[in-house]
Amino acid sequence: MCVGVPMQVISIEGDQALTEVDGVKREASLMLLDQEVKVGDFVIIHAGFAISKLDEEDAKATLELMREVFEPELMG
Amino acid sequence: MNYQDSFRDKELVQGLARRIAELTRGRKKPLVFMEVCGTHTMAIYQYGLRSLLPPEVKLISGPGCPVCVTPNGYLDRAIALSRLPDLTITTFGDMLRVPGSSSSLMEERAKGADIRVVYSPLDAVRIAAANPAKRVVFLGVGFETTAPTVAGSILAAKAQGLSNYFVLASHKTMPQPMAILSADPDLSVDGYICPAHVSAIIGADAYRFLCAEYQVPCVVTGFEPTDVMQGVEMLARQALQGESRVEIQYSRVVRWEGNAKAQGLLAEVFTPFDAPWRGIGVLPGSGLRIADAYGEFDAELALPVQVEELKEHQGCLCGEILKGKVAPGDCPLFGGKCTPESPVGACMVSSEGTCAAAFKYGR
Ligand code: SF4
Ligand code: SF4
């Protein structure tokens, strides 16, 4: 039930944002967010509300770290 | 967003699996990790993650789906409300097929009740605003991820001066059942895969007391296959070193302190109560109902109805399933009398339910 989907903010008007992922557009309320969001940011949308910002840099860093540590040829 | 796909990278997942196997090789008693979130359960089945793990690591499912833990009594009240004149029930789709004592919302809809599925609680507020002659009730179930959205809908209705919007609220909060399970002598859990989006709201700090009181490692983990595998690896590492800390694997979304604004809304609109959990019973302080200051929006207070006498379903093992004590295949009704098409218990209803996931992706 609380599956949130990551979507990108394409416009903001007051407490409402228009967000998009894979060409699907959705309205989302920003009233629950305590972080600054701007156009271009990624947010997790759940039931019509943005509940958290998604840190893209952090995501990339996690992946890189995983790749480094789990390099398939190193796994033997 | 293409980097999202990278979190499904097969080689990465397999690399992580091998790493876990190396870590735990030769261990006699398997490490048992519990996921308490239905979306994790689904991911684990969908990507076949169990089959990638060594026999030294066992994953079990806990009470993680709000649909599964919603008791018959709640549905009976929703059904009774749906029979009132000029009343519209609005709900997330999952709730439609959950059996109550003798009916379900789906059956009531077939008989003519006005029951509408919405995507957001704000849609329910819009329906109320557009239909002033109707009373619109939203079924407020779900954990800390969903509860703030329902709180938001109540504030929106108040701001618009609506007097025909109501919520039948029985939200659940996550840390309490984890504490109860940790204290259960019949169950030995070596670590928790903590829910992703619940934690986005409550923050990873909320699990610290579990580590302190029950010495059980907790890792807040995302929903992608690499997230789950990395979460398991982090848990295994802690368990093998005899540590019990909270760690955040899902750092791209979850912070230690969580979402202060959403927490504030929860505290404003709701108040804790001793909530009944299907199959588990009443857990003190484990639920959220509407606070007195917002009583006019509380369907239970504002719209009194006669609710039928509670009947439990014979033979359903949902309670044991939700506590992680038995697997779906152990239930005599599984796949026979109880299927996603005609569920007997709630674990078979929601796509996030343990029985439904096991049925869909093979036991
Ligand atoms: S409601 Fe949230 S915590 Fe519960 S099962 Fe669904 S995703 Fe997991
Ligand atoms: S198979 Fe059906 S009856 Fe048995 S535990 Fe699962 S949901 Fe309940």
Side-chain angles (χ1 to χ4, degrees):
Chain A
M1 179 174 286
C2 54
V3 197
V5 268
M7 303 196 66
Q8 189 167 29
V9 176
I10 54 176
S11 67
I12 299 177
E13 224 190 286
D15 244 3
Q16 282 290 114
L18 189 63
T19 62
E20 177 179 10
V21 72
D22 297 335
V24 180
K25 290 200 176 79
R26 257 186 195 163
E27 291 263 352
S29 167
L30 299 177
M31 84 184 272
L32 295 183
L33 268 194
D34 63 348
Q35 296 152 288
E36 230 6 88
V37 278
K38 30 184 204 338
V39 170
D41 283 347
F42 286 88
V43 287
I44 301 284
I45 307 285
H46 169 61
F49 289 81
I51 56 165
S52 181
K53 208 164 137 176
L54 193 138
D55 188 328
E56 217 182 334
E57 288 309 308
D58 215 346
K60 285 185 183 141
T62 307
L63 272 174
E64 221 139 90
L65 208 71
M66 274 193 218
R67 287 226 168 84
E68 244 166 60
V69 181
F70 304 111
E71 200 84 69
E73 51 269 30
L74 291 181
M75 302 304 310
Chain B
M1 190 170 13
N2 43 16
Y3 77 83
Q4 199 68 17
D5 293 337
S6 319
F7 286 96
R8 298 185 185 165
D9 184 332
K10 228 177 165 174
E11 301 228 309
L12 221 44
V13 174
Q14 283 166 349
L16 283 159
R18 262 177 302 202
R19 182 78 161 216
I20 295 165
E22 255 164 47
L23 269 177
T24 56
R25 187 165 297 148
R27 210 192 135 81
K28 296 223 171 57
K29 198 169 147 276
L31 290 170
V32 178
F33 301 133
M34 177 182 266
E35 86 272 1
V36 289
C37 167
T39 306
H40 279 134
T41 305
M42 238 178 27
I44 288 164
Y45 277 101
Q46 186 176 353
Y47 298 104
L49 300 184
R50 273 199 185 88
S51 65
L52 296 176
L53 289 171
E56 288 89 354
V57 176
K58 244 181 88 186
L59 298 185
I60 58 172
S61 309
C65 176
V67 180
C68 304
V69 297
T70 298
N72 285 352
Y74 178 88
L75 281 147
D76 292 343
R77 182 171 289 274
I79 287 165
L81 283 169
S82 78
R83 292 172 179 161
L84 293 180
D86 302 320
L87 193 139
T88 300
I89 298 277
T90 50
T91 177
F92 295 132
D94 274 354
M95 295 300 290
L96 282 191
R97 296 184 313 127
V98 183
S101 291
S102 65
S103 182
S104 69
L105 291 166
M106 188 93 114
E107 284 172 45
E108 296 301 311
R109 186 159 78 170
K111 284 190 238 153
D114 185 5
I115 298 170
R116 305 186 201 177
V117 172
V118 292
Y119 157 70
S120 162
L122 289 180
D123 295 339
V125 175
R126 275 177 216 121
I127 292 174
N131 299 279
K134 285 241 176 193
R135 298 170 290 180
V136 175
V137 176
F138 181 74
L139 302 186
V141 296
F143 289 109
E144 293 98 327
T145 324
T146 312
T149 70
V150 176
S153 78
I154 289 176
L155 295 180
K158 191 177 170 103
Q160 292 172 40
L162 296 181
S163 57
N164 66 331
Y165 178 68
F166 308 91
V167 173
L168 184 62
S170 184
H171 291 285
K172 304 277 196 289
T173 49
M174 203 67 246
Q176 291 86 337
M178 293 168 77
I180 304 276
L181 292 172
S182 305
D184 189 332
D186 291 348
L187 203 70
S188 86
V189 176
D190 298 300
Y192 286 110
I193 298 175
C194 298
H197 294 150
V198 162
S199 306
I201 305 292
I202 66 175
D205 279 338
Y207 306 104
R208 282 193 203 275
F209 80 101
L210 290 172
C211 300
E213 276 173 41
Y214 305 101
Q215 286 76 48
V216 60
C218 290
V219 177
V220 178
T221 308
F223 291 132
E224 298 295 338
T226 51
D227 289 327
V228 176
M229 279 304 200
Q230 196 186 25
V232 170
E233 200 246 1
M234 290 162 85
L235 282 172
R237 218 167 262 285
Q238 278 199 52
L240 292 171
Q241 284 162 6
E243 290 176 14
S244 51
R245 285 177 284 120
V246 184
E247 291 182 278
I248 305 178
Q249 181 279 333
Y250 195 39
S251 59
R252 59 191 187 276
V253 169
V254 173
R255 291 169 292 155
W256 289 101
E257 70 283 9
N259 178 337
K261 195 161 173 197
Q263 290 167 18
L265 282 193
L266 289 182
E268 164 75 18
V269 176
F270 294 118
T271 190
F273 83 115
D274 301 343
W277 293 60
R278 180 185 292 268
I280 297 179
V282 173
L283 304 184
S286 68
L288 295 172
R289 62 170 182 75
I290 296 173
D292 293 344
Y294 293 88
E296 67 200 275
F297 298 100
D298 188 341
E300 205 165 331
L301 297 179
L303 305 168
V305 278
Q306 189 85 34
V307 180
E308 71 177 298
E309 203 185 316
L310 195 74
K311 268 206 314 278
E312 293 300 340
H313 302 289
Q314 292 302 314
C316 173
L317 290 184
C318 283
E320 301 303 292
I321 297 265
L322 294 170
K323 285 184 262 186
K325 291 190 178 174
V326 306
D330 299 333
C331 175
L333 304 183
F334 181 82
K337 259 198 171 149
C338 183
T339 63
E341 287 297 297
S342 74
V344 174
C347 299
M348 193 59 100
V349 173
S350 158
S351 52
E352 292 166 14
T354 307
C355 293
F359 187 88
K360 180 158 177 207
Y361 297 107
R363 11 278 62 184

